[in-house]
Amino acid sequence: MALLRPSSRIRRRGTGGDRIWTWLMVPGTLWMTGFLIASLVLVAVLAVGTTDDLGNPRFGFDLSGVRALADPAYSEVLARSLGYALLTCAICLLIAYPVAYTIALHAGRYKHALIAAIVVPFFANYLVRMYGWSVVLSDDGPVLRTLRAVGLADGNTKILNTGVGVVAGLVYGFVVFMIIPLYAALERLDVSLIEAGRDLYGGPVRTFFFVTLPATRQGAAAGLVLVFLPAMGDFVSAQLMGGPDQIMIGNLIQDKFFQGQNWPLGSALTMLLMLVLLIGMLGYLRRTRKDEAEARR
Amino acid sequence: MSPEVPSPTRRAVLRTGACALLGATAGGCGFMPAKTPDAQQLAPVRARVDGDLVYFNWADYVDPSVFKGFEKEYGVKVIQSNFDSMEGMVAKLNAGNRYDVVFPSAKWAQRLVHGGRLRRIDHTQLTNAHAIFGKYTYFADPWYDPGSAHTVPFTAYKTGIGWRRDKIGELTGSWRDLWSDKARGKVFLLDDRDEVLGMGALELGLKVSTGNTGDLDRITSLLGTLRPHLRGFSSDSYNNLLNGNAVMTQAWSGDMAAMLNQAKDPSVFGFEAPKEGTPINSDCYAIPWNAPHPGTAMLFIDYMLRPENVKKNIEYIGYPMPVAGTEKTYADLVKPFPECLVTEDDLRAGLFFRNGGRAAEDARDTAWTHVKAG
């Protein structure tokens, strides 16, 4: 990711620096090859394997797992997951931008404390946080009680076990991934650009849309990818907050590996999901490359 | 960094990576042993202290004071770890992890015995064995492990319907109650393939573990008519009932019994065992083929079978245990839900989930996808 790459300025500093960077890459490379690439290869191979009676995966060549993907149930669930993930991205962006903007440009000395206040709760176990959230959204929970008190909901309104509940869970779970890159981008924003916009008789709204927003779109793009990837594969939110019509692709994959003991089909589904994610990732890479090219001009 | 150290070339980095990849792949193969170990060849274990007990079970499935008693009496430590599904448990065993005592359900016990993964258990080494096998003759020769040669039963339970009496009144004692209009939109099914398909099969008068595609199609379309009534799939039945998200739910008898400890007023809840039949299940003690301290495991099983410990465990987890002399403890515990009791007749009705062949398992798996994803 462009944001994480050491800048070319450091790299050009000479051979000694070069050597340090190469050595620093070794543990990461080993880790990635050992645990990411190798396990990916295993998943790909298992997609055409079989399962024995004890639930052990067995290598072989059997296309039944891949062929089973043709079942329309999977494309339907995949489309639903895609919809939920995109909606989650949009809502996260709408929530995160004002938060990041306020903290980066107007929080003064409370900046770091506020960022900590957002990040620290995130360290609590994801499952526990989601479980708590499901209590908050339950029929007798505080959210619905408040809505009923002000007349915005009646006795039959529910959030838990609906699509609204699932998306709320996903937004709650992943909004931090949007706030942090946006904050980083806004923090680096050259405020003289905003002043220049004002000098050129741009009102606050015009300045925001023509200066601030374009200058921070890399942060937004990074945030969108960071939210989209986990939201697409998530299975906890649909399990705790969803009903029978909110099953996501992650739930099906989990079922294949556990209850179904059908590792080949689970692996094939995983590969399908990765394919979809790869398309989103490629879009992001093209976008950032174009931006970099423009910046260099 | 000293200048003598040559900087790694791109090739070197790639080579190291390739080695790591190979190592990882080889490790991956190691987790699938080429030759199935056969514990049948090993002599039955003598009950004696041969080390600390490495214990592997569901979380909170034994009263902590029972562990304390065991540690004190035999001067050993109990090293606990927990699993959250049968599949997870077997995956750990397959990966070569070593435990002294594990607790598979009937279906998984049969698979493990077939795979040669369990050591034989000599009942004459267990001073309390007669309390089980003398009274509950069903377990003297269960379908999943002939002669109980490798297992000793731990708990038995059934699946029924839990509901809120205060919200929808009385039920009729049939699986059809799940379709009741009074509970529309507030019904949960267990998030469990076998339980949901089994319920559909019982309603249609089919075999609970059927792998026949024609049967499964009928089950899928029957359960399709239940969808508008459903609020979700969840195995957290008693919390769903307690917090009011469910007014009716498919539920395991043991969970309903455990709920009695938490409910302020148990009379608002009910549990029925439908007349079309209720799936039965049983967890058992087993000693894996590679147990480091099988002798201590034998002592532990024997200790767990002492009536005073059985009573403590029954009260702690809410599941009945087939041990003579402990029936009253359980009956007292589930007085508000008498249908939680598991009788010898329930066991003989044989509505256990059984293992099917690969084709049958895949067909059930597909049916479950359709039930769940609609």
Side-chain angles (χ1 to χ4, degrees), chain B residues 47-255:
Chain B
R48 62 189 173 91
V49 173
D50 54 4
D52 291 343
L53 182 80
V54 187
Y55 160 101
F56 194 38
N57 197 357
W58 299 95
D60 274 333
Y61 216 33
V62 164
D63 187 323
S65 71
V66 174
F67 288 127
K68 289 233 178 66
F70 180 72
E71 289 182 329
K72 211 169 147 206
E73 185 165 332
Y74 292 96
V76 293
K77 271 210 172 66
V78 178
I79 301 152
Q80 283 202 51
S81 50
N82 303 126
F83 51 77
D84 55 10
S85 68
M86 282 292 133
E87 293 79 5
M89 184 268 284
V90 173
K92 285 266 174 68
L93 285 181
N94 284 341
N97 290 19
R98 301 177 73 187
Y99 307 100
D100 294 321
V101 61
V102 297
F103 296 74
S105 68
K107 178 176 165 171
W108 284 93
Q110 187 186 39
R111 287 196 189 190
L112 289 169
V113 170
H114 273 192
R117 302 299 173 90
L118 299 181
R119 294 195 68 152
R120 279 179 289 156
I121 291 178
D122 178 2
H123 297 169
T124 61
Q125 293 280 322
L126 300 172
T127 51
N128 297 304
H130 62 93
I132 287 194
F133 300 112
K135 173 85 188 288
Y136 292 88
T137 50
Y138 179 84
F139 287 109
D141 191 24
W143 62 275
Y144 54 85
D145 181 19
S148 272
H150 309 77
T151 57
V152 175
F154 174 48
T155 57
Y157 49 96
K158 57 170 98 163
T159 317
I161 299 176
W163 84 97
R164 292 280 296 249
R165 281 203 158 92
D166 58 335
K167 300 264 170 82
I168 53 172
E170 293 306 305
L171 300 186
T172 68
S174 156
W175 286 113
R176 267 282 147 192
D177 288 332
L178 291 169
W179 278 259
S180 157
D181 275 326
K182 285 186 284 185
R184 206 182 168 89
K186 291 213 158 189
V187 176
F188 276 90
L189 292 184
L190 290 168
D191 190 5
D192 184 293
R193 182 191 80 177
D194 285 344
E195 292 289 0
V196 172
L197 296 180
M199 181 271 285
L202 287 168
E203 178 57 32
L204 290 169
L206 303 168
K207 289 206 168 87
V208 278
S209 306
T210 180
N212 174 295
T213 45
D215 287 354
L216 290 167
D217 285 347
R218 286 177 63 199
I219 294 173
T220 315
S221 52
L222 171 76
L223 294 175
T225 66
L226 183 57
R227 275 184 87 77
H229 297 257
L230 288 189
R231 184 156 187 185
F233 295 95
S234 165
S235 298
D236 197 5
S237 358
Y238 78 70
N239 273 320
N240 289 327
L241 280 179
L242 281 173
N243 66 23
N245 290 332
V247 295
M248 205 191 287
T249 175
Q250 201 184 8
W252 286 298
S253 59
D255 282 358

Side-chain angles (χ1 to χ4, degrees), chain A residues 19 22-23 51 53-54 56-57 71 131 139-140 160-161 243-245 247 255-256 258-262, chain B residues 1 7-8 32 85 87 94 111 185-186 191-193 227 231 236 243 245 358 365 368-370 372:
Chain A
R19 211 170 286 157
T22 320
W23 275 110
T51 311
D53 290 343
L54 266 177
N56 285 313
D71 193 323
Y131 208 89
D139 292 7
D140 297 325
L160 204 64
N161 310 112
D245 298 321
I247 305 298
D255 275 353
K256 299 300 155 204
F258 281 85
Q259 301 197 15
Q261 290 278 290
N262 193 344
Chain B
M1 193 187 292
S7 85
M32 288 159 265
S85 68
E87 293 79 5
N94 284 341
R111 287 196 189 190
K186 291 213 158 189
D191 190 5
D192 184 293
R193 182 191 80 177
R227 275 184 87 77
R231 184 156 187 185
D236 197 5
N243 66 23
N245 290 332
R358 196 63 239 171
D365 192 35
W368 174 231
T369 301
H370 288 150
K372 217 174 161 186

Side-chain angles (χ1 to χ4, degrees), chain A:
Chain A
M1 240 167 259
L3 286 173
L4 304 178
R5 206 182 295 150
S7 82
S8 45
R9 197 156 25 95
I10 305 175
R11 283 222 226 160
R12 246 182 268 122
R13 207 181 281 155
T15 48
D18 247 357
R19 211 170 286 157
I20 290 176
W21 285 114
T22 320
W23 275 110
L24 284 178
M25 269 174 65
V26 172
T29 313
L30 287 180
W31 182 270
M32 295 286 273
T33 358
F35 293 102
L36 196 89
I37 315 250
S39 46
L40 264 182
V41 170
L42 265 183
V43 171
V45 171
L46 282 177
V48 292
T50 54
T51 311
D52 74 4
D53 290 343
L54 266 177
N56 285 313
R58 289 266 175 242
F59 296 123
F61 193 76
D62 181 316
L63 282 178
S64 55
V66 179
R67 232 177 276 129
L69 294 182
D71 193 323
Y74 296 121
S75 46
E76 199 181 298
V77 174
L78 197 64
R80 180 188 297 148
S81 313
L82 200 61
Y84 283 163
L86 290 174
L87 192 59
T88 304
C89 281
I91 297 174
C92 281
L93 189 61
L94 289 179
I95 295 176
Y97 208 99
V99 174
Y101 190 90
T102 316
I103 298 179
L105 301 179
H106 297 288
R109 60 195 176 96
Y110 297 111
K111 222 188 265 187
H112 298 295
L114 285 172
I115 281 294
I118 287 169
V119 172
V120 168
F122 184 73
F123 292 138
N125 181 291
Y126 178 64
L127 192 67
V128 172
R129 284 187 298 132
M130 284 299 227
Y131 208 89
W133 189 234
S134 78
V135 174
V136 171
L137 296 181
S138 73
D139 292 7
D140 297 325
V143 171
L144 273 175
R145 264 206 310 256
T146 314
L147 287 180
R148 276 197 291 266
V150 298
L152 284 172
D154 61 26
N156 290 324
T157 318
K158 56 183 188 185
I159 299 176
L160 204 64
N161 310 112
T162 66
V164 177
V166 175
V167 175
L170 291 173
V171 169
Y172 169 74
F174 301 125
V175 72
V176 179
F177 292 142
M178 187 68 90
I179 296 179
I180 297 304
L182 274 177
Y183 169 79
L186 284 158
E187 167 89 311
R188 275 182 315 195
L189 176 72
D190 187 351
V191 281
S192 61
L193 287 177
I194 298 180
E195 284 159 17
R198 297 262 164 82
D199 289 345
L200 293 168
Y201 301 103
V205 178
R206 273 171 69 92
T207 313
F208 177 76
F209 281 106
F210 287 95
V211 179
T212 317
L213 202 54
T216 52
R217 67 178 170 214
Q218 279 218 19
L224 287 173
V225 168
L226 287 178
V227 171
F228 179 74
L229 297 183
M232 188 71 194
D234 186 64
F235 57 91
V236 178
S237 180
Q239 183 150 336
L240 291 180
M241 250 78 75
D245 298 321
Q246 279 78 41
I247 305 298
M248 290 176 71
I249 194 76
N251 301 89
L252 289 186
I253 294 177
Q254 197 210 14
D255 275 353
K256 299 300 155 204
F257 278 100
F258 281 85
Q259 301 197 15
Q261 290 278 290
N262 193 344
W263 290 39
L265 181 49
S267 304
L269 272 174
T270 310
M271 295 312 285
L272 180 69
L273 174 62
M274 293 207 34
L275 208 67
V276 174
L277 295 178
L278 203 64
I279 296 170
M281 199 65 203
L282 284 179
Y284 167 76
L285 287 179
R286 251 188 68 190
R287 177 81 244 170
T288 46
R289 204 170 304 143
K290 230 170 99 188
D291 277 353
E292 271 178 31
E294 268 171 32
R296 238 176 276 136
R297 246 190 296 149

